Amino acid sequence: MNKIVIAIDSFKGSLSSAELGKAVEKGIHNIYPECNTVVLPVADGGEGTVESLMTHSDGHIVDVKVHNPLGEIINAQYGISNDTAFMEMAAASGLSLIPYKPGNVMLTNTYGTGEMILDAIKKGCKNFIIGIGGSATNDAGLGMLQALGFRIIDKKGNNINISGNNLTEVHHIDSSNIDEAIKECSFNIITDVKNPFYGENGAAYIFAPQKGANPEMVKHLDDGLQNIASIIKKEKGIDIQKVEGSGAAGGLGGIFHSYLNATLTSGIEFILQFMNFDSIIQNADLIITGEGKLDKQTKSGKAISGIIKHASKFDIPVIALSGNTEEADRQILEEGLTSYWSIHKSPVEIEKALDSKYTAKNIQDITEQIMRFHKAFVK
């Protein structure tokens, strides 16, 4: 082995992309000490997006106080390079910021994401690259708009403190009093999903159950999203249901597109182009990638699918490492993945599986075993 590129998405709740990459690198060097290894932090719009973008930017990290999805004050971080802000909505409005509780999704909102944006505007940012994976919300992004100065109004003309629970009460979205600086900003929203705004494949039905919604709640949330879609059609002339990815982050993608003229982009494709991935991998012998769980979503815009697409241009084999391969869709092999491997040596409780030291050791060990196998048969 002369050169191996390591580009693993973060294992949510355990290790970052860079930390996983370093552990894999150790496993490689235990067998091939002279091998040139390149660790590339990657993400697809969720956790690790800012880390990945900032690795390839001349910028710095900023701290800001914002409201979390349930309205509690927390510290969030984002990156700034010149007049561009790199953000993850999950830093302010993510599922990992609040304890899991059935029904929470009816109460959460994206207000904190709007606060991050305002902070960056005050610091001179005009361009925004925002990953919107990992949300705890299904408020159609209206909380974010409220933080930016939009008024969310009911039929009686009263302001609504928005949450997923009261989307059906919204009658008008008023932008007349927002700061002119917001109108001068450009937004590139990167996401790892293609789901529509509402319906059986939309934000509520596909993602709200993961955020604590029961079937009755899901129906209510979807009714709310349909109401917001009708308002968007009436006030902006946009059929948001036809915009790919509008259902990302509980409808936040659709609101960004409709009210802030944002572009919605595949997260992994944007990041790979941003880091000039093709030029880095051209002479590689192998790419090692991975994500926390391999399932049917893996081939639909996730990091691994994007990496396979680029590796196939140069006939580079790709191996994926994962914490959970039980639901792995074998179609990903047909699309170009060489093989996938679980990092676990035996059945393990979820608490242990998420332990950072356990994950680092196991991913290093499985990498070493793969390298030993390679060395035995490839001369």
Side-chain angles (χ1 to χ4, degrees):
M1 287 281 189
N2 294 313
K3 179 180 177 180
I4 300 176
V5 174
I6 306 162
I8 301 181
D9 199 358
S10 64
F11 283 17
K12 189 177 296 183
S14 181
L15 288 177
S16 71
S17 176
E19 290 167 333
L20 290 164
K22 291 298 182 184
V24 168
E25 187 175 49
K26 289 180 182 177
I28 293 169
H29 286 162
N30 284 345
I31 306 304
Y32 289 110
E34 303 303 320
C35 181
N36 174 24
T37 51
V38 181
V39 177
L40 297 175
V42 296
D44 51 23
E47 182 180 327
T49 296
V50 170
E51 176 190 39
S52 181
L53 292 171
M54 291 300 290
T55 299
H56 303 277
S57 304
D58 181 18
H60 61 282
I61 296 295
V62 173
D63 291 281
V64 59
K65 296 293 183 183
V66 300
H67 290 84
N68 78 2
L70 291 174
E72 301 162 332
I73 298 292
I74 61 167
N75 184 67
Q77 293 186 325
Y78 65 92
I80 292 180
S81 179
N82 299 317
D83 64 351
T84 299
F86 303 104
M87 294 182 170
E88 297 169 20
M89 75 83 67
S93 310
L95 190 60
S96 63
L97 298 176
I98 57 175
Y100 177 82
K101 183 180 179 181
N104 260 353
V105 70
M106 308 300 289
L107 308 174
T108 55
N109 64 49
T110 51
Y111 194 88
T113 296
E115 290 177 307
M116 275 202 306
I117 293 170
L118 273 184
D119 186 73
I121 291 173
K122 291 175 182 177
K123 290 179 168 61
C125 293
K126 294 183 178 181
N127 302 301
F128 289 80
I129 300 172
I130 306 177
I132 59 172
S135 72
T137 55
N138 199 114
D139 71 340
L142 299 188
M144 182 266 295
L145 289 188
Q146 283 189 311
L148 295 179
F150 288 75
R151 294 177 63 222
I152 314 301
I153 300 171
D154 65 15
K155 288 184 177 180
K156 296 181 179 180
N158 299 316
N159 291 335
I160 300 174
N161 290 321
I162 204 71
S163 66
N165 197 43
N166 54 21
L167 294 179
T168 55
E169 300 173 21
V170 179
H171 180 68
H172 173 50
I173 300 172
D174 178 18
S175 62
S176 60
N177 293 320
I178 66 170
D179 194 314
E180 286 296 317
I182 295 171
K183 299 177 183 179
E184 297 173 1
C185 294
S186 68
F187 294 88
N188 196 326
I189 305 305
I190 57 178
T191 175
D192 61 351
V193 302
K194 301 178 181 179
N195 301 74
F197 203 67
Y198 61 84
E200 63 180 11
N201 291 314
Y205 276 97
I206 298 300
F207 302 113
Q210 303 168 12
K211 305 171 187 179
N214 62 31
E216 183 180 352
M217 294 172 184
V218 168
K219 174 65 166 58
H220 185 70
L221 290 169
D222 191 67
D223 288 345
L225 290 169
Q226 291 189 48
N227 178 50
I228 302 306
S230 68
I231 293 171
I232 292 171
K233 185 69 177 291
K234 179 176 65 176
E235 297 183 350
K236 306 298 290 185
I238 298 170
D239 185 351
I240 196 60
Q241 190 68 353
K242 293 182 178 179
V243 177
E244 188 174 83
S246 60
L252 178 64
I255 287 296
F256 263 120
H257 176 78
S258 302
Y259 287 90
L260 295 174
N261 298 313
T263 300
L264 302 184
T265 307
S266 163
I268 186 59
E269 189 60 33
F270 179 91
I271 286 175
L272 293 181
Q273 290 186 17
F274 189 87
M275 65 173 61
N276 203 11
F277 188 69
D278 282 1
S279 67
I280 296 172
I281 67 171
Q282 280 187 33
N283 59 345
D285 299 304
L286 174 68
I287 297 174
I288 299 179
T289 185
E291 59 187 27
K293 181 180 181 181
L294 297 184
D295 55 23
K296 291 183 178 180
Q297 291 288 327
T298 300
K299 65 180 187 295
S300 302
K302 296 289 187 178
I304 292 175
S305 64
I307 288 168
I308 291 170
K309 176 182 174 182
H310 284 259
S312 65
K313 299 176 187 179
F314 309 103
D315 294 321
I316 303 170
V318 181
I319 290 174
L321 307 178
S322 177
N324 187 342
T325 61
E326 185 177 3
E327 298 177 27
D329 189 336
R330 291 185 62 83
Q331 188 177 340
I332 197 74
L333 297 173
E334 297 171 7
E335 294 180 0
L337 185 67
T338 304
S339 65
Y340 59 80
W341 304 71
S342 170
I343 70 168
H344 301 298
K345 302 170 184 176
S346 63
V348 62
E349 297 292 333
I350 185 64
E351 291 80 8
K352 186 174 182 180
L354 293 175
D355 180 78
S356 58
K357 292 182 179 179
Y358 169 89
T359 300
K361 183 179 187 304
N362 274 24
I363 203 165
Q364 178 181 327
D365 288 350
I366 190 64
T367 301
E368 181 175 329
Q369 294 309 311
I370 293 169
M371 294 299 106
R372 286 182 181 278
F373 182 84
H374 180 274
K375 192 171 186 178
F377 289 95
V378 180
K379 302 299 182 181

